[in-house]
Structure formats: C-alpha cells, structure tokens
Amino acid sequence: MAELFCVGLSHKSAPIEVREKVAVPEEDQAGLLQKVAALPGVSEAMLLSTCNRVELFAAVAGHESAEAVAAQLREKGGDAVRPHLLQHQGEAAVVHLFRVAASLDSMVVGEPQILGQVKDAFSSSVAAGTVGGELTRACEAAFAAAKRVRTETGIGANAVSMASAAVELARKIFGDLSGRTVLVVGVGPMSEICARHLGSEGAHVRVANRTLERAQALVKELGGKAEARPFTDVAKLLTEADVVVTSTASPKPIFNVELVQPALKARKGRPLFLVDLAVPRDVDPAVHQLSNVFAYNVDDLERVVKENLAARSSEAARAEVLIAEEVARFIRSKTARDAVPILGQLRRRADSIAISEAEKTLAVLGEGLSLRQRQSVEAMAKAIVNKLLHAPTARLRTAGEAGPEEAARVAAAAAELFGLADEGPADDGGAPEAAPIPITRAEGQK
Amino acid sequence: MTRSLLSAACHAYSVAGVAYLVHLVRLRGRSSTVGALALAAGLLLHATVIVMRYQEMVVTPVSSLADGLSFTAWLLVAAFLILDRVYKLPALGAFVTPLALTVTVSALLVPSSPPGEIPALLGIPGLVAHVIVAFLGMALFALAGGAAVLYLVQERQVKGKRFGFAFSRLPSLEVLDELNRRLVVFGFAMLSVTIATGALYAKNRWGAYWSWDPKETLSLLAWAIFGALIAARFQGGWRGKRVALLTMLGLVVLVSSWVGLFAFPSGHHSGSFDAPARAVGERRG
C-alpha cells in the first residue's frame, strides 16, 4: 500500500551553501521527477524547490523504495549534503507537507507565498505526469488545511517588515488607501520600499527631494500616477498629504510643530500619518502629541514588527492544533481507503464465480435459448452476487473508517470466511473502490 | 404568546452576542456570519412580537414601558444590521448585541400593560410619530456611542503605539469617524423632529410649547450638544477623539433624559407610560 515519503532540506536544516547544491533548475525538474517515479516501488513524485527548501515528496511502497528516493537527492548533492537531509515517512510526511503548505515551517512563519509555491510544485508535477491518487489527495487536503489556518488563525494577520508595518498602520488610520495621497520626502532605499507598498494600495505618490533629479528618478521607477515635486513645496504638500514618509539626511527635525500645526488647520482636521525613517529623526516627537497626528519613527516600527512576530508565534501554536486535526482526518480517510483492497478481491472472486457458473448453466441449456434469455441468466447470477456481498461490503467500509486495527481485524475475518487469503497481496488497480488515477499518470508511464 | 416569542428573540440575540464575541476573540470569519444570522432571526421574532402587541393595544407599538424598551432594542438591532451590511462591523456587534439583549430582557421583566388598556396620553394620534421618532433617534445615538467607544479604543492604540488585542479586530479610525458623523447627523435630525413634534403637541394639549420639565430640559441639552458637535465638525474641522468624547457626553445626557422619563414624578412625560390618567389630571388637562 503506497504511503507518503518526503526527503529534503530547508532553511532549518541546511545553510544556503548546502541548499544551493541540491537546488534543481526548473528545466531539469520534470526529468528528475520522472526518474524518481520510475524507481521500483515508487508510484508518484513531486518536487518543491524554493529559495528556502528543496524537498522531494513521493508515494512509496516501503522502506526500500523510500531509500531509493532519498538516494537521488544524496547523489545530487554529494557528501556535503548528507548530514542535512531530513526524511519523513507515512504520517510524519503528511504532517510535514501540511505544515509546509500552512507556512508553519517557513522562515517567517505565516508568510503567504509558500502555499502558492506548493501549489505550483503540485501542478508542475502533474504536468510532468508523476502525480497520482496519493499525492493528489494529500496535496488537496494540505491546501484545504492551509486555507483553514489562514482564515481561522491570525497567523498572517500582522505585518512583519517595517514597510508593511507602515502600510498596516496607515490602513488602521485611513481604512482604504486608494485615493489617499502619500508624500515621500527624501529618496532612500527604505522610503522607496514604503512608497512602493503604499502605491500598490492605490495611493497617489508624490516625491519631494532636495535634488529634484533623484525625485524624478524614483517617480519614473514607481510609474503610474507618481509625481515629483521640488523640496521647497513641502509645507504646501503637507496640507494635501495623508501619509508622509520622510528619510532626509537633515541633522535637525524638518517636521516640527510650527510646520505641522498650520497644515492641520488647512486640512480641516483630517488625520495625518508621519512615517519617519530618518536617523537623526526628521519628525519632532512633539508633533505626535498634536491631535489627529500620528508620528512613527524607525524604533516604533521596529517594535511593531517585533510584537507582530511574537503574536504570530502564538497564533502558530493554534495553527499547529488545526493542522493536527486535519492530519488526523486525512489519515482516517486514508485508512478507510486502504481497507478497500480486500473489497476488490472479494468482488473479483465473486464475479468470476458468477460468470463461470452462468456459463456452465448456459452450456447445459444449450443453443435453444434466445439472447434475452441468456442475458437474464447472466443478470440473475450478478444480482445474487450483489445481494450477497452488500452487507459484508458495507461492514468493511465502516471498519475502514473506524481505524486501522478495526479495519485489519474485519479484513482478516473477511479474507478467512471468503477464502481470499491465498490470493496474494492486493493490487488496488482492479478494485472498484480504488482511488481514481488521473490520466496524466498513465501518460507519464508511456 | 408574545412573551414566549420575545424570549425566543432574546435567545437568538444571546446566540448572536456569543458569536460576535467569539469573532472578536478568535477572529473567525464564520462566527460573525453566525452572529448576523442569529441577530436577523431574533429581529424577525421580535418584529412579530411588536406587531402582535400593536394589534392587541390598537394604538402604538410603544404604549407601555415594556413595549418602549422592546421597540428601542428592535430599532437598535435593525439599525446595526443595516450598518453591518454596509460597513462590515462585526466588532460593533459585540457591543450592540449585548446592549440590545439587556434592553429586551428588561422589557420582559417590566410588567407590560394588559391588552386593551389604552394609556390616555398615547391614545391621541400625532403623538405616535413623536414617540417612534424619539426611539429611532435613541437607537441611532446608541450606535454612534458604540462607534465612539471603538474609535477611542483604536485611537488609544495607534497613538500609544501599543497594539493590544483589539487592534486587528477594529475598523480604521476614518471609518469609525465617518460612521460617527453619519449616525450623529441622522440622530440629530430625529432628535430635532422629536423635540419639534413634542412642542407642537404640548401647545395643542396644554397650551404651551415648552414647560421645562426635566425631560424636556435634558433633551434640549443633548440636542444642543449634538448640534454643537455637528457645527464643530463641519465648520471647525473637529474630528476624531474630541468628537468621540462629545458624542459620548451627548449620549449620557440623552440617556439621563430618558431615565428622567421614569424617575421624575412631575412633568408631561412622567405619565407617558405608567400613569397616564394621573399625569393628565394633575397638569393643565
């Protein structure tokens, strides 16, 4: 019975020098996947390769085939990689997949990109033709679990970079930022990131700088509705701006009470949010005391980020509980499915008896029967089989859902009563209840 | 019959209250939907009660203290549900729902007039509008007060640069301020109509527009506070914290004018609900 296996390394187990050794370039991925899926005992394979992790997921028949999969990565990376490789098999591999997709294993816990990366990995494995029922079910369950984590916990709720913290604060003050005006004073790398973030929220960006050329250069990069203004206009621009991002090299504060107070009057009390990225500061701390003015400096933003990270880790604990629930549910349904092969055997045995007995009867009755009469005989044989198998089939299904021990117990009883024990190991290909195998898999085997 | 229906509505409100609190604490999208649905169910049950009472009493839905309380709570819930649809404010639900529940439960506890006994004062047409508009204004100001509380909590966090539990749960300052503006403007309009219709009615009935009974005085004070607040906002550019504080002050005055309705034994309004005949008898009537 195939089970999930995972081997690989991540930012947790290996430094970047090691990770880059096993990184698989995109054009080689399909080849690697097909090679892995062709290994004996291996039926499916998927590769997750991001800047923080390289992980190979596979559906394997047992320990030996798992080792064969692991050997693929070991071979690729050489000796340096060996001590960093982590392996998970069975339930542990499912847990790992679910945690990765839910961003619980990420460098920044709760970052939203990883789910998309796992989805991409899944669809390129589908394209490579190396995905079957096991991985499809596991990935779909992992995506659903990740979505649940995102909606039911606050794991991705808070900003964990200074720029996104600034955007988050701006949203808490103004709500929707589209149509708001952002004034960027002084061009620098941090103010550029902030401007970009705010601009992508739909705000109008204006850039004022001592040298107008640099302001114009930033405006060009930002594109869209951004405009450059001379530095001397700052007092006037202040009356129109909702958010001010400032990062000048000025040794003394530019935005003091004398400058901001009159602007507030002209603003008719609209709130003003000042993001001060400069050291020494551009905004006089007294400005924050004015009503409807909120001034944040680098330290404030840093603290917001730290608090958010702490909040994330407590939300992560809640997410782990959800993941454990989802994994348990997935394992239960897998166990139920795994109990199904005995049903397949039972069904095949019964069908072959029905067919052979019907043939015997038809041979005795001879050629005198009409087509319709022959069909009736066959139908009767099938109907008897179906009626007879109905109760044991239902019982085996409920046993499968009840758990592995119960499933094994009832399956063993069925095997003994129906004399199936000598038929050899189940191959779920012929079982009517076996999981549907996507067409892509069949293509991949060609 | 109406009592058991009203108590069923209370149960629905309780479910909604718990759902909104769960939403506030655990940020679950689904529980705010549960809250809104439970609230809507309660609102329907409650509406049935009001209609049935109206038919029993033949006069107005608010001819006793119990009915008045029940009607106010109903308006509060209805207004909140409308706001929630427009602004998505489940956080406000966690404040409004318990308030509505408390008022409805008090309506259940206060003995209601037996059907058919028509309070003399309210039996007069024309006063119905006065009373309904007064209740509507009250519900709007109660919501404005809720928005003001949320504003103050949120402002405290942004200004103090300390982000507690409520930060991610509450709407933005601008949304709350805008909400306050609309609610106060509509509430003020209702209050103005209430006072004007009241004065006209008093002139008709007692020959004087105004008699400075405690309720009239406090209502006028609340009207002045809200009027000044609106003027300050539109003329003086007042926003945010000051406005929120003033809203709460106005609400406190307005609520005490309502308490005055039942607490002060003299005045036109004293008899509105409980001793109509006496009030009319004692006064110029």
Side-chain angles (χ1 to χ4, degrees), chain A residues 34 126-131 437-446:
Chain A
Q34 278 151 6
V126 169
T130 59
V131 169
I437 291 176
I439 306 155
T440 44
R441 166 135 158 76
E443 282 168 0
Q445 282 175 330
K446 272 178 206 161

Side-chain angles (χ1 to χ4, degrees), chain A residues 28 41 53-54 57 92 126 173 179 224 232 242 256 306-307 327 332-333 384 424 441 445:
Chain A
D28 298 348
R53 63 183 70 245
V54 179
F57 290 86
V126 169
I173 296 168
T232 44
D242 299 301
N256 49 25
K306 266 201 197 123
E307 278 173 22
V327 167
R332 264 202 311 279
S333 70
I384 290 172
R441 166 135 158 76
Q445 282 175 330

Side-chain angles (χ1 to χ4, degrees), chain B residues 24-279:
Chain B
L24 200 63
V25 177
R26 309 202 58 179
L27 263 189
R28 298 202 172 189
R30 257 178 268 162
S31 37
S32 67
T33 317
V34 171
L37 288 176
L39 213 49
L43 190 74
L44 274 179
L45 287 169
H46 201 157
T48 318
V49 173
I50 291 169
V51 170
M52 286 171 74
R53 285 290 294 167
Y54 177 74
Q55 284 172 343
E56 281 173 7
M57 306 291 292
V58 202
V59 202
T60 78
V62 288
S63 14
S64 73
L65 172 58
D67 291 313
L69 289 170
S70 150
F71 189 57
T72 313
W74 186 84
L75 283 173
L76 189 63
V77 172
F80 166 72
L81 279 174
I82 293 170
L83 277 185
D84 188 41
R85 273 207 77 80
V86 180
Y87 292 96
K88 297 270 162 290
L89 293 162
L92 193 57
F95 291 83
V96 170
T97 313
L99 180 63
L101 181 64
T102 314
V103 177
T104 318
V105 168
S106 353
L108 268 174
L109 295 179
V110 169
S112 67
S113 335
E117 182 190 301
I118 302 162
L121 253 176
L122 287 164
I124 297 143
L127 204 60
V128 177
H130 169 72
V131 174
I132 289 180
V133 169
F135 282 114
L136 187 56
M138 186 66 200
L140 291 174
F141 281 125
L143 283 172
V149 171
L150 295 188
Y151 184 96
L152 291 174
V153 171
Q154 183 76 309
E155 204 260 1
R156 208 181 137 81
Q157 302 198 53
V158 180
K159 199 78 170 178
K161 301 180 181 175
R162 293 265 168 223
F163 306 107
F165 145 89
F167 181 67
S168 50
R169 273 92 173 163
L170 297 184
S172 70
L173 292 177
E174 284 282 87
V175 164
L176 290 169
D177 192 52
E178 169 69 11
L179 192 62
N180 176 296
R181 179 178 74 78
R182 295 196 178 182
L183 287 168
V184 167
V185 167
F186 282 118
F188 182 73
M190 295 299 143
L191 188 55
S192 307
V193 172
T194 308
I195 291 175
T197 52
L200 282 176
Y201 177 78
K203 172 76 181 163
N204 239 327
R205 173 102 196 151
W206 297 295
Y209 288 111
W210 202 261
S211 59
W212 297 106
D213 79 359
K215 176 160 178 62
E216 286 172 356
T217 313
L218 284 169
S219 300
L220 192 66
L221 182 59
W223 184 84
I225 291 172
F226 286 118
L229 170 58
I230 290 172
R233 187 192 271 282
F234 289 102
Q235 294 301 314
W238 277 35
R239 287 249 198 159
K241 193 174 174 181
R242 271 186 284 188
V243 166
L245 287 171
L246 256 182
T247 307
M248 294 180 67
L249 175 69
L251 184 63
V252 167
V253 173
L254 193 63
V255 168
S256 37
S257 87
W258 280 58
V259 172
L261 195 64
F262 314 114
F264 301 118
S266 66
H268 292 159
H269 292 87
S270 61
S272 308
F273 294 132
D274 294 321
R278 190 199 62 198

Side-chain angles (χ1 to χ4, degrees), chain A residues 353-370:
Chain A
I353 293 172
I355 290 166
S356 70
E357 290 306 310
E359 272 168 6
K360 266 189 220 158
T361 307
L362 291 172
V364 171
L365 290 173
E367 298 296 309
L369 292 179
S370 69

Side-chain angles (χ1 to χ4, degrees), chain A residues 23 28 74 76 107 110 141 147 154 172 176 228 251 312 341 386 401 419:
Chain A
D28 298 348
R74 235 176 278 142
K76 196 166 162 22
M107 198 179 264
K147 192 172 167 226
K172 278 295 156 192
D176 189 8
R312 272 195 184 191
N386 285 341
E401 280 156 19

Side-chain angles (χ1 to χ4, degrees), chain A residues 127-148:
Chain A
T130 59
V131 169
E134 273 320 310
L135 271 175
T136 304
R137 278 188 299 268
C139 285
E140 272 166 6
F143 300 155
K147 192 172 167 226
R148 220 187 129 197

Side-chain angles (χ1 to χ4, degrees), chain A residues 412-423:
Chain A
E416 199 176 330
L417 284 174
F418 289 95
L420 298 169
D422 51 350
E423 215 185 59

